[in-house]
Amino acid sequence: MSIKQESELIGMQKASEAVAYTLKEMRNFAKAGMTTKELDDYGGKILNELGAKSAPYLTYGFPGWTCISVNNEFCHGIPSDKRILNEGDLINIDVSAELDGFWSDNGGSFVIGEDVNGHQKLVDASKDILQKAIDNIKGGVKISEIGYLIETEAKKRGYKVIKNLGGHGIGRSLHEQPDELLNYKNRFDQRRFKKDSVVAIETFISTSSSLAVELNDGWTMVGNKGGHMAQHEHTIVVTNGKPIILTEMNGIWN
């Protein structure tokens, strides 16, 4: 969507604060020994209390309120009462929701407890690259140039990017134009970011895979060559200067 009046900005701010607060609280709540279903139910309860509706559930009938992916799962992981979190697990929580006709999306990867498996470096790379990407977005900037920046920064750190996952426009529905805000330079993509547009910017930084493939459950995605992936995501409003980061209160950069 494109923000044309103040009421739309306020609506987007409220929806974004709901998903950002939920993500922050879920991150604080997550600990070794609990199931991903317990964690998801906790997030679902917060969304409900805020009057927000889970976007994946509303849009796709996803079997959970939030997407929770653990270790070799890259994204769209289904919360389960059989999946118990362990110390050192790499976990990704993606929270998107609708509130009063406005939609917002955010996500982040982090390590449960102590980093006994050495995932923190990957998590930090994903966070830093997202920050750098957002700092470089303004009206008129080529979408493919931000993709190039993300891939270049990943390579510098010895990582790859997932080429078939990307950010997207958002606002009046979960996925809008511009779609496919990819993590690499698509030289055929001549589109530019437009001032006042609302987009969800996501990093998909991986250790060994460059594509995500779907498992038989019809949702969960893993790497085509295995390994691990870290994702971080903010919903932003593009301006002629620094973007407005609508989901900033999620604290994923802290």
Side-chain angles (χ1 to χ4, degrees):
M1 74 178 284
S2 183
I3 302 281
K4 292 187 171 66
Q5 50 201 28
E6 195 181 1
S7 60
E8 291 175 323
L9 179 59
I10 291 166
M12 279 308 303
Q13 284 170 330
K14 284 184 178 169
S16 298
E17 281 167 12
V19 296
Y21 177 73
T22 303
L23 177 59
K24 184 180 180 183
E25 291 301 301
M26 287 177 75
R27 281 163 53 95
N28 292 336
F29 184 70
K31 62 181 185 292
M34 73 169 48
T35 67
T36 54
K37 175 84 165 57
E38 282 176 80
L39 181 57
D40 181 59
D41 284 344
Y42 179 74
K45 183 169 172 284
I46 296 170
L47 286 174
N48 189 45
E49 285 168 357
L50 295 171
K53 297 186 179 77
S54 159
Y57 177 78
L58 207 56
T59 308
Y60 303 112
F62 179 75
W65 309 116
T66 67
C67 298
I68 303 176
S69 311
V70 184
N71 292 332
N72 66 316
E73 298 171 348
F74 281 15
C75 60
H76 307 157
I78 300 170
S80 166
D81 55 11
K82 295 180 179 63
R83 189 66 182 262
I84 297 167
L85 296 174
N86 296 305
E87 193 82 4
D89 277 352
L90 174 63
I91 179 174
N92 177 271
I93 303 175
D94 197 307
V95 183
S96 54
E98 178 271 338
L99 179 63
D100 297 331
F102 294 93
W103 300 65
S104 190
D105 194 354
N106 70 165
S109 296
F110 60 101
V111 174
I112 297 288
E114 290 294 311
D115 183 31
V116 292
N117 300 314
H119 294 309
Q120 192 61 46
K121 193 171 157 233
L122 176 65
V123 168
D124 290 343
S126 175
K127 286 199 286 193
D128 293 347
I129 293 167
L130 179 66
Q131 188 150 33
K132 196 157 192 173
I134 288 175
D135 284 346
N136 281 275
I137 293 173
K138 60 183 173 186
V141 169
K142 270 192 170 180
I143 287 170
S144 63
E145 287 304 318
I146 298 301
Y148 178 72
L149 182 153
I150 292 170
E151 185 174 33
T152 303
E153 290 295 323
K155 280 180 175 172
K156 272 189 207 169
R157 293 164 168 83
Y159 297 120
K160 299 175 185 293
V161 296
I162 300 300
K163 296 197 167 183
N164 61 334
L165 296 173
H168 50 92
I170 190 167
R172 288 297 190 176
S173 60
L174 180 58
H175 291 108
E176 298 180 346
Q177 294 300 324
D179 62 356
E180 295 193 342
L181 306 177
L182 301 172
N183 280 198
Y184 70 99
K185 184 171 187 169
N186 173 5
R187 61 193 179 89
F188 301 108
D189 187 357
Q190 299 301 313
R191 298 173 301 164
R192 295 176 185 270
F193 285 102
K194 292 177 181 165
K195 180 179 180 286
D196 299 327
S197 64
V198 184
V199 292
I201 299 294
E202 310 183 55
T203 49
F204 299 96
I205 312 301
S206 90
T207 56
S208 12
S209 291
S210 54
L211 293 172
V213 293
E214 199 170 84
L215 294 182
N216 291 337
D217 65 16
W219 296 104
T220 312
M221 300 194 89
V222 299
N224 65 325
K225 293 183 178 174
H228 296 90
M229 186 195 80
Q231 177 258 21
H232 289 84
E233 174 184 21
H234 272 305
T235 292
I236 68 171
V237 180
V238 179
T239 72
N240 281 336
K242 272 203 175 306
I244 301 165
I245 302 171
L246 295 170
T247 47
E248 193 160 25
M249 79 179 301
N250 65 23
I252 60 171
W253 283 335
N254 299 346

PDB file of all heavy atoms in Angstrom, residues 81-96:
ATOM      1  N   ASP A  81       3.218 -29.656  19.660  1.00  0.00           N
ATOM      2  CA  ASP A  81       3.384 -30.043  21.069  1.00  0.00           C
ATOM      3  C   ASP A  81       4.405 -31.171  21.208  1.00  0.00           C
ATOM      4  O   ASP A  81       4.699 -31.626  22.308  1.00  0.00           O
ATOM      5  CB  ASP A  81       2.043 -30.416  21.702  1.00  0.00           C
ATOM      6  CG  ASP A  81       1.294 -31.507  20.939  1.00  0.00           C
ATOM      7  OD1 ASP A  81       1.905 -32.122  20.037  1.00  0.00           O
ATOM      8  OD2 ASP A  81       0.111 -31.739  21.240  1.00  0.00           O
ATOM      9  N   LYS A  82       4.957 -31.628  20.063  1.00  0.00           N
ATOM     10  CA  LYS A  82       5.994 -32.666  20.092  1.00  0.00           C
ATOM     11  C   LYS A  82       7.393 -32.071  19.945  1.00  0.00           C
ATOM     12  O   LYS A  82       8.391 -32.747  20.187  1.00  0.00           O
ATOM     13  CB  LYS A  82       5.753 -33.686  18.988  1.00  0.00           C
ATOM     14  CG  LYS A  82       4.468 -34.489  19.171  1.00  0.00           C
ATOM     15  CD  LYS A  82       4.268 -35.491  18.044  1.00  0.00           C
ATOM     16  CE  LYS A  82       3.012 -36.310  18.241  1.00  0.00           C
ATOM     17  NZ  LYS A  82       1.779 -35.503  18.221  1.00  0.00           N
ATOM     18  N   ARG A  83       7.471 -30.797  19.528  1.00  0.00           N
ATOM     19  CA  ARG A  83       8.776 -30.166  19.296  1.00  0.00           C
ATOM     20  C   ARG A  83       9.208 -29.409  20.554  1.00  0.00           C
ATOM     21  O   ARG A  83       8.661 -28.362  20.882  1.00  0.00           O
ATOM     22  CB  ARG A  83       8.708 -29.215  18.092  1.00  0.00           C
ATOM     23  CG  ARG A  83      10.078 -28.676  17.645  1.00  0.00           C
ATOM     24  CD  ARG A  83      10.912 -29.836  17.124  1.00  0.00           C
ATOM     25  NE  ARG A  83      12.244 -29.465  16.717  1.00  0.00           N
ATOM     26  CZ  ARG A  83      12.598 -29.235  15.455  1.00  0.00           C
ATOM     27  NH1 ARG A  83      11.706 -29.293  14.488  1.00  0.00           N
ATOM     28  NH2 ARG A  83      13.852 -28.952  15.160  1.00  0.00           N
ATOM     29  N   ILE A  84      10.189 -29.964  21.250  1.00  0.00           N
ATOM     30  CA  ILE A  84      10.676 -29.346  22.495  1.00  0.00           C
ATOM     31  C   ILE A  84      11.947 -28.559  22.207  1.00  0.00           C
ATOM     32  O   ILE A  84      12.862 -29.044  21.529  1.00  0.00           O
ATOM     33  CB  ILE A  84      10.925 -30.427  23.579  1.00  0.00           C
ATOM     34  CG1 ILE A  84       9.599 -31.119  23.924  1.00  0.00           C
ATOM     35  CG2 ILE A  84      11.550 -29.806  24.819  1.00  0.00           C
ATOM     36  CD1 ILE A  84       9.749 -32.388  24.730  1.00  0.00           C
ATOM     37  N   LEU A  85      11.980 -27.340  22.685  1.00  0.00           N
ATOM     38  CA  LEU A  85      13.156 -26.488  22.489  1.00  0.00           C
ATOM     39  C   LEU A  85      14.291 -26.914  23.420  1.00  0.00           C
ATOM     40  O   LEU A  85      14.062 -27.211  24.594  1.00  0.00           O
ATOM     41  CB  LEU A  85      12.801 -25.020  22.758  1.00  0.00           C
ATOM     42  CG  LEU A  85      11.777 -24.403  21.802  1.00  0.00           C
ATOM     43  CD1 LEU A  85      11.392 -23.005  22.263  1.00  0.00           C
ATOM     44  CD2 LEU A  85      12.323 -24.357  20.368  1.00  0.00           C
ATOM     45  N   ASN A  86      15.502 -26.934  22.876  1.00  0.00           N
ATOM     46  CA  ASN A  86      16.695 -27.296  23.647  1.00  0.00           C
ATOM     47  C   ASN A  86      17.671 -26.133  23.718  1.00  0.00           C
ATOM     48  O   ASN A  86      17.661 -25.246  22.866  1.00  0.00           O
ATOM     49  CB  ASN A  86      17.393 -28.504  23.000  1.00  0.00           C
ATOM     50  CG  ASN A  86      16.536 -29.746  23.034  1.00  0.00           C
ATOM     51  OD1 ASN A  86      16.086 -30.165  24.093  1.00  0.00           O
ATOM     52  ND2 ASN A  86      16.270 -30.335  21.877  1.00  0.00           N
ATOM     53  N   GLU A  87      18.511 -26.159  24.722  1.00  0.00           N
ATOM     54  CA  GLU A  87      19.563 -25.152  24.875  1.00  0.00           C
ATOM     55  C   GLU A  87      20.401 -25.083  23.592  1.00  0.00           C
ATOM     56  O   GLU A  87      20.820 -26.113  23.060  1.00  0.00           O
ATOM     57  CB  GLU A  87      20.468 -25.545  26.052  1.00  0.00           C
ATOM     58  CG  GLU A  87      21.396 -24.458  26.530  1.00  0.00           C
ATOM     59  CD  GLU A  87      20.736 -23.469  27.473  1.00  0.00           C
ATOM     60  OE1 GLU A  87      19.566 -23.650  27.840  1.00  0.00           O
ATOM     61  OE2 GLU A  87      21.420 -22.491  27.831  1.00  0.00           O
ATOM     62  N   GLY A  88      20.599 -23.878  23.082  1.00  0.00           N
ATOM     63  CA  GLY A  88      21.441 -23.704  21.900  1.00  0.00           C
ATOM     64  C   GLY A  88      20.728 -23.855  20.569  1.00  0.00           C
ATOM     65  O   GLY A  88      21.347 -23.688  19.512  1.00  0.00           O
ATOM     66  N   ASP A  89      19.418 -24.172  20.596  1.00  0.00           N
ATOM     67  CA  ASP A  89      18.661 -24.273  19.342  1.00  0.00           C
ATOM     68  C   ASP A  89      18.628 -22.921  18.633  1.00  0.00           C
ATOM     69  O   ASP A  89      18.529 -21.870  19.273  1.00  0.00           O
ATOM     70  CB  ASP A  89      17.208 -24.710  19.605  1.00  0.00           C
ATOM     71  CG  ASP A  89      17.056 -26.220  19.751  1.00  0.00           C
ATOM     72  OD1 ASP A  89      18.031 -26.946  19.494  1.00  0.00           O
ATOM     73  OD2 ASP A  89      15.949 -26.665  20.127  1.00  0.00           O
ATOM     74  N   LEU A  90      18.673 -22.977  17.303  1.00  0.00           N
ATOM     75  CA  LEU A  90      18.437 -21.788  16.477  1.00  0.00           C
ATOM     76  C   LEU A  90      16.944 -21.766  16.178  1.00  0.00           C
ATOM     77  O   LEU A  90      16.408 -22.708  15.611  1.00  0.00           O
ATOM     78  CB  LEU A  90      19.237 -21.879  15.172  1.00  0.00           C
ATOM     79  CG  LEU A  90      18.982 -20.771  14.134  1.00  0.00           C
ATOM     80  CD1 LEU A  90      19.395 -19.407  14.671  1.00  0.00           C
ATOM     81  CD2 LEU A  90      19.729 -21.075  12.834  1.00  0.00           C
ATOM     82  N   ILE A  91      16.274 -20.685  16.583  1.00  0.00           N
ATOM     83  CA  ILE A  91      14.827 -20.609  16.394  1.00  0.00           C
ATOM     84  C   ILE A  91      14.471 -19.341  15.634  1.00  0.00           C
ATOM     85  O   ILE A  91      15.117 -18.302  15.791  1.00  0.00           O
ATOM     86  CB  ILE A  91      14.096 -20.660  17.772  1.00  0.00           C
ATOM     87  CG1 ILE A  91      12.570 -20.558  17.588  1.00  0.00           C
ATOM     88  CG2 ILE A  91      14.587 -19.571  18.715  1.00  0.00           C
ATOM     89  CD1 ILE A  91      11.784 -20.756  18.889  1.00  0.00           C
ATOM     90  N   ASN A  92      13.476 -19.448  14.780  1.00  0.00           N
ATOM     91  CA  ASN A  92      12.957 -18.273  14.083  1.00  0.00           C
ATOM     92  C   ASN A  92      11.464 -18.159  14.374  1.00  0.00           C
ATOM     93  O   ASN A  92      10.727 -19.128  14.259  1.00  0.00           O
ATOM     94  CB  ASN A  92      13.166 -18.370  12.573  1.00  0.00           C
ATOM     95  CG  ASN A  92      12.558 -17.181  11.835  1.00  0.00           C
ATOM     96  OD1 ASN A  92      11.392 -17.206  11.451  1.00  0.00           O
ATOM     97  ND2 ASN A  92      13.332 -16.138  11.661  1.00  0.00           N
ATOM     98  N   ILE A  93      11.060 -16.956  14.776  1.00  0.00           N
ATOM     99  CA  ILE A  93       9.633 -16.673  14.986  1.00  0.00           C
ATOM    100  C   ILE A  93       9.230 -15.596  13.997  1.00  0.00           C
ATOM    101  O   ILE A  93       9.885 -14.555  13.896  1.00  0.00           O
ATOM    102  CB  ILE A  93       9.345 -16.192  16.424  1.00  0.00           C
ATOM    103  CG1 ILE A  93       9.830 -17.203  17.468  1.00  0.00           C
ATOM    104  CG2 ILE A  93       7.848 -15.928  16.598  1.00  0.00           C
ATOM    105  CD1 ILE A  93       9.683 -16.738  18.911  1.00  0.00           C
ATOM    106  N   ASP A  94       8.157 -15.850  13.263  1.00  0.00           N
ATOM    107  CA  ASP A  94       7.631 -14.870  12.312  1.00  0.00           C
ATOM    108  C   ASP A  94       6.187 -14.557  12.724  1.00  0.00           C
ATOM    109  O   ASP A  94       5.352 -15.455  12.775  1.00  0.00           O
ATOM    110  CB  ASP A  94       7.681 -15.442  10.889  1.00  0.00           C
ATOM    111  CG  ASP A  94       7.540 -14.360   9.827  1.00  0.00           C
ATOM    112  OD1 ASP A  94       6.559 -13.594   9.907  1.00  0.00           O
ATOM    113  OD2 ASP A  94       8.381 -14.288   8.925  1.00  0.00           O
ATOM    114  N   VAL A  95       5.952 -13.292  13.039  1.00  0.00           N
ATOM    115  CA  VAL A  95       4.621 -12.869  13.494  1.00  0.00           C
ATOM    116  C   VAL A  95       4.052 -11.849  12.513  1.00  0.00           C
ATOM    117  O   VAL A  95       4.657 -10.794  12.295  1.00  0.00           O
ATOM    118  CB  VAL A  95       4.673 -12.235  14.905  1.00  0.00           C
ATOM    119  CG1 VAL A  95       3.249 -11.867  15.366  1.00  0.00           C
ATOM    120  CG2 VAL A  95       5.332 -13.160  15.913  1.00  0.00           C
ATOM    121  N   SER A  96       2.921 -12.175  11.926  1.00  0.00           N
ATOM    122  CA  SER A  96       2.219 -11.226  11.057  1.00  0.00           C
ATOM    123  C   SER A  96       0.747 -11.257  11.440  1.00  0.00           C
ATOM    124  O   SER A  96       0.222 -12.296  11.854  1.00  0.00           O
ATOM    125  CB  SER A  96       2.417 -11.586   9.587  1.00  0.00           C
ATOM    126  OG  SER A  96       2.045 -12.923   9.334  1.00  0.00           O
TER     127      SER A  96
END
